[in-house]
Amino acid sequence: MAFLVFFASNLVLTLFACTITALIAPAAAGSGIPEVKAYLNGVDAPGIFSLRTLAVKIVGSITAVSSSLLVGKAGPMVHTGACIASILGQGGSKKYNLTWRWLRFFKNDRDRRDLVTIGAAAGIAASFRAPVGGVLFAFEEMASWWRSALLWRAFFATAIVAIVLRALIDVCLSGKCGLFGTGGLIMFDVYSANISYHLVDVPPVLLLGVVGGLLGSFYNFLLDKVLRLYNLINEKGVAYRILLACAISIFTSCLLFGLPWLASCQTCPPNASEACPTIGRSGNYKKFQCPPGHYNDLASLIFNTNDDAIRNLFSKGTDSEFQYSSILIFFVTCFILSIFSYGICAPAGLFVPEIVTGACYGRLVGMLIGSGSNLNHGLYAVLGAACFMGGSMRMTVSLCVIILELTNNLLLLPLIMLVLLISKTVADAFNENIYDLIMRSKGFPYLETHVEPYMRQLTVGDVVTGPLQIFRGIEKVGNIVHILRCTRHNGFPVIDEPPLSESPVLFGIILRAHLITLLKNKSFLSHPAPTGNDAFKQFSSEDFAKRGSGNGEMLEDIEFSDEEMEMFLDLHPFSNASPYTVVESMSLAKALILFREVGLRHLLVIPKISCRSPVVGILTRHDFMPEHILSLYPLLVRSKWKRLRIRLPFLSKIF
């Protein structure tokens, strides 16, 4: 009967989370961190910040975490904070009549991007109660462009998060809010005034970091393969997505309920700090099927919330609480279930599962070392969580601060820094961090901070592809409509030709959204003559402001008569007359640095010889992607692996 209740409740909760995600907002699936990171890099995926995505993210993450799936809430919280920030940045939602005119000042690319960055920082601060860690996480992992003003704004937002959390915890101390009201801002308080470590403790910690880096890179490798398999299944339709989630839920329920039977019952310690055995929803000593006065240590980890399981593993004075076999079984279970649970069509995070898995690994190492170290098993669990996350996520400063804010243990700061650096260095030799792998599997064209060496051998003229679509300064409406219908380009160069200029010259660039706005307003000219500043009288600044999610105008919604198609539009007043341009002989590596650091979407390429056309081509982020460049010049692939073999000799045996 207990298994049926456990099995049915998990299946219903998983089915609900997956169904609302698949049918209402598919963009809410996963953690959302890769989508937010890609957006802050310049990739605007459809629907990731809509009001529907926000609602499904909140409800779906609650039900997914409650369904015994090994998923976390930190990633969905980051996405939730980014959604709220984006909706505020676009002035609310016109679709649901929730708009605020005072927010119109944020309707531009830079302010919207800054607000989303602050929202991501607030999400981490809320999920881990780590305000400083949230700021550093947004700086180190999320933001591609950072300004000094953004630092104090993000810090202010996370400080407000901490204050609101503290106020809500005080309200919930009456016990009516479930587990939320227990404890303070420190989630896993492992502080111990008598902690001391010596030089003899450093070698085991170094080994812990090396193995943690190997485990983290192996975790990324397996997760990448599983996600690619899940993508093939999810592409077949909604029914397959729901069936996949149900299969994972059934597998999880059977595994979690059956594994505690493999563990033997332990006698309750005489000086336990709480009731033993524990009968209820949380505690260190679960009774499961043991006789009175005994507890099941594996059930104490499985039949608890993830937070309580982490607290049990991090707790001090519990060196004799767990058996070797129980920790090993729980580590393998968490390692496998966190991989298979992440890719289903439901909101799911990776932070908490990786903390649980890493804590099991560290606790197991601490038990194997035993009395040969001055550190207790709980402190090894903290170090294990740090190095496993460092090997998977490849973050250093932000992870270090988040762990310190979670555990309230500054004395471990040097060791945490050490294991994070070692695990990241070891894992970097094998693959990328987990979020970059997920972005690649989703097809996001993410621009990295570093420049590939082969890019220094190429110029921008080598990678520009055509055909180039241009507009004259005064263009016929029919030509504009035809080009917009036949292409998906977002920006078009504007050229002045005689008699407007002595020779063809580049005037600027105009965006697709602005062209559609002009066509919708139908302020056409019967003759090709410049209009000057009189054109602005028919428009307001809000007509050309940054659009919100799903609010873009569609060309298909505009009807044109034959007479209108023969009329003209003066594009001069609405073009960007000072676009970023580079000469066709400029190094591709330098162009990539300019494109990424300034946060461009288009980069015009002009000829080196003035007698040619005023524009050679236009560069977008797709032109900088390694896949595009290596497809144009396949010989660079061979030289790329040759350089790798020189730097890393052991690769010569593989390739």
Side-chain angles (χ1 to χ4, degrees):
M1 183 60 67
F3 172 72
L4 290 178
V5 173
F6 182 69
F7 169 84
S9 59
N10 290 342
L11 184 60
V12 169
L13 289 169
T14 303
L15 183 62
F16 177 78
C18 185
T19 302
I20 63 172
T21 304
L23 297 179
I24 300 176
S31 69
I33 291 180
E35 287 81 359
V36 177
K37 185 177 179 180
Y39 172 82
L40 295 177
N41 189 257
V43 182
D44 196 357
I48 58 173
F49 295 137
S50 65
L51 195 61
R52 290 193 303 175
T53 301
L54 173 62
V56 171
K57 201 74 178 185
I58 295 173
V59 178
S61 62
I62 293 173
T63 52
V65 171
S66 304
S67 65
S68 296
L69 293 174
L70 197 60
V71 296
K73 61 182 183 298
M77 286 290 289
V78 171
H79 196 180
T80 299
C83 286
I84 295 173
S86 178
I87 291 172
L88 291 176
Q90 69 188 38
S93 176
K94 289 184 178 180
K95 183 177 181 180
Y96 300 100
N97 295 322
L98 299 173
T99 57
W100 303 273
R101 291 186 58 83
W102 62 273
L103 289 172
R104 66 184 184 275
F105 303 106
F106 300 100
K107 299 186 72 171
N108 58 78
D109 284 311
R110 192 188 72 170
D111 289 339
R112 184 83 61 83
R113 187 175 64 233
D114 289 353
L115 280 173
V116 171
T117 305
I118 294 171
I124 284 291
S127 57
F128 289 128
R129 308 178 191 177
V132 180
V135 176
L136 294 176
F137 173 80
F139 173 70
E140 183 178 6
E141 181 64 19
M142 303 299 293
S144 294
W145 306 287
W146 192 265
R147 299 182 296 116
S148 58
L150 188 57
L151 180 64
W152 72 262
R153 290 171 181 170
F155 188 73
F156 173 78
T158 55
I160 297 299
V161 168
I163 293 174
V164 172
L165 275 174
R166 180 70 263 179
L168 292 176
I169 289 173
D170 289 341
V171 171
C172 290
L173 285 178
S174 60
K176 298 179 180 180
C177 301
L179 300 178
F180 181 78
T182 60
L185 288 178
I186 307 299
M187 295 182 68
F188 315 117
D189 195 347
V190 298
Y191 176 79
S192 179
N194 58 359
I195 293 178
S196 63
Y197 54 89
H198 306 284
L199 192 60
V200 69
D201 299 314
V202 175
V205 171
L206 295 178
L207 181 62
L208 185 79
V210 172
V211 179
L214 295 174
L215 287 174
S217 62
F218 184 59
Y219 182 89
N220 291 1
F221 171 78
L222 293 180
L223 183 59
D224 182 51
K225 298 300 181 184
V226 171
L227 288 180
R228 293 181 185 276
L229 175 62
Y230 282 5
N231 287 339
L232 297 176
I233 299 175
N234 292 333
E235 288 174 355
K236 295 182 178 181
V238 175
Y240 286 88
R241 300 179 188 180
I242 296 176
L243 288 175
L244 175 63
C246 292
I248 297 299
S249 176
I250 294 171
F251 173 72
T252 301
S253 298
C254 295
L255 193 65
L256 295 183
F257 197 88
L259 286 176
W261 296 91
L262 302 178
S264 59
C265 294
Q266 301 284 103
T267 305
C268 288
N271 54 351
S273 58
E274 58 182 274
C276 180
T278 303
I279 301 176
R281 57 187 174 181
S282 64
N284 287 348
Y285 307 101
K286 289 291 185 182
K287 185 175 184 294
F288 197 60
Q289 303 294 330
C290 293
H294 294 73
Y295 71 96
N296 189 308
D297 57 344
L298 186 54
S300 301
L301 296 173
I302 289 178
F303 293 109
N304 250 329
T305 64
N306 287 332
D307 290 349
D308 282 334
I310 296 171
R311 189 174 292 108
N312 292 350
L313 293 168
F314 282 0
S315 57
K316 57 188 177 183
T318 58
D319 289 0
S320 59
E321 182 177 324
F322 300 101
Q323 304 175 78
Y324 290 94
S325 58
S326 298
I327 293 294
L328 180 60
I329 292 173
F330 191 60
F331 166 70
V332 175
T333 303
C334 292
F335 192 91
I336 295 175
L337 288 183
S338 61
I339 292 175
F340 284 98
S341 300
Y342 178 77
I344 65 172
C345 187
L350 284 172
F351 260 95
V352 173
E354 290 197 4
I355 293 178
V356 176
T357 307
C360 290
Y361 155 67
R363 185 96 182 190
L364 182 61
V365 172
M367 294 170 66
L368 293 174
I369 295 175
S371 59
S373 174
N374 295 300
L375 302 177
N376 61 55
H377 299 171
L379 298 180
Y380 269 105
V382 175
L383 296 176
C387 67
F388 186 78
M389 294 176 71
S392 176
M393 299 182 177
R394 315 293 163 81
M395 291 182 288
T396 53
V397 180
S398 57
L399 271 183
C400 181
V401 174
I402 288 174
I403 291 174
L404 289 179
E405 290 185 288
L406 281 174
T407 59
N408 190 29
N409 198 331
L410 280 173
L411 295 177
L412 280 182
L413 175 61
L415 295 182
I416 294 176
M417 295 171 62
L418 190 62
V419 296
L420 281 172
L421 290 172
I422 292 175
S423 61
K424 172 180 165 45
T425 304
V426 171
D428 279 339
F430 295 95
N431 49 33
E432 300 173 286
N433 75 66
I434 188 61
Y435 296 124
D436 288 349
L437 292 175
I438 295 174
M439 283 191 296
R440 179 176 297 178
S441 68
K442 290 179 178 290
F444 295 146
Y446 184 83
L447 291 180
E448 297 289 350
T449 55
H450 64 275
V451 176
E452 295 289 345
Y454 57 80
M455 291 185 179
R456 299 186 178 94
Q457 307 173 23
L458 302 173
T459 64
V460 294
D462 295 330
V463 299
V464 170
T465 56
L468 177 65
Q469 302 291 344
I470 63 174
F471 290 127
R472 292 185 292 271
I474 302 177
E475 186 62 84
K476 184 181 289 188
V477 173
N479 294 340
I480 297 176
V481 174
H482 174 72
I483 292 177
L484 292 181
R485 286 175 177 172
C486 296
T487 66
R488 300 179 62 186
H489 299 170
N490 185 67
F492 303 88
V494 178
I495 306 297
D496 273 341
E497 297 178 342
L500 296 178
S501 61
E502 296 181 358
S503 61
V505 61
L506 173 65
F507 179 81
I509 188 172
I510 189 167
L511 300 181
R512 170 183 284 267
H514 295 174
L515 286 171
I516 294 177
T517 300
L518 295 175
L519 293 174
K520 182 181 179 181
N521 189 267
K522 295 190 176 183
S523 55
F524 303 146
L525 306 172
S526 57
H527 301 286
T531 58
N533 294 330
D534 294 337
F536 293 116
K537 296 179 181 179
Q538 305 178 33
F539 299 92
S540 65
S541 59
E542 293 186 3
D543 294 330
F544 298 95
K546 173 74 174 177
R547 299 291 180 181
S549 301
N551 293 330
E553 302 289 348
M554 302 295 293
L555 182 65
E556 292 75 12
D557 299 333
I558 307 174
E559 296 182 357
F560 302 96
S561 64
D562 294 338
E563 182 181 356
E564 290 173 338
M565 296 289 276
E566 296 298 324
M567 300 180 76
F568 298 89
L569 263 177
D570 185 7
L571 304 181
H572 292 98
F574 311 100
S575 301
N576 177 9
S578 57
Y580 281 91
T581 59
V582 294
V583 183
E584 60 180 337
S585 58
M586 183 179 185
S587 168
L588 184 62
K590 291 184 178 180
L592 173 60
I593 294 173
L594 172 66
F595 193 94
R596 193 184 190 279
E597 293 299 326
V598 181
L600 301 179
R601 193 170 182 180
H602 312 93
L603 186 60
L604 296 181
V605 182
I606 59 176
K608 190 174 183 180
I609 303 175
S610 59
C611 62
R612 295 171 55 188
S613 171
V615 181
V616 174
I618 183 169
L619 289 173
T620 63
R621 65 175 48 245
H622 292 278
D623 296 312
F624 292 104
M625 299 307 295
E627 295 82 3
H628 170 70
I629 299 172
L630 295 178
S631 66
L632 295 176
Y633 303 97
L635 292 178
L636 291 175
V637 179
R638 186 179 304 173
S639 61
K640 176 183 176 182
W641 292 119
K642 182 178 179 181
R643 283 190 299 270
L644 279 175
R645 286 198 299 267
I646 293 174
R647 289 192 298 171
L648 302 173
F650 68 88
L651 287 179
S652 60
K653 300 179 181 179
I654 302 176
F655 304 102

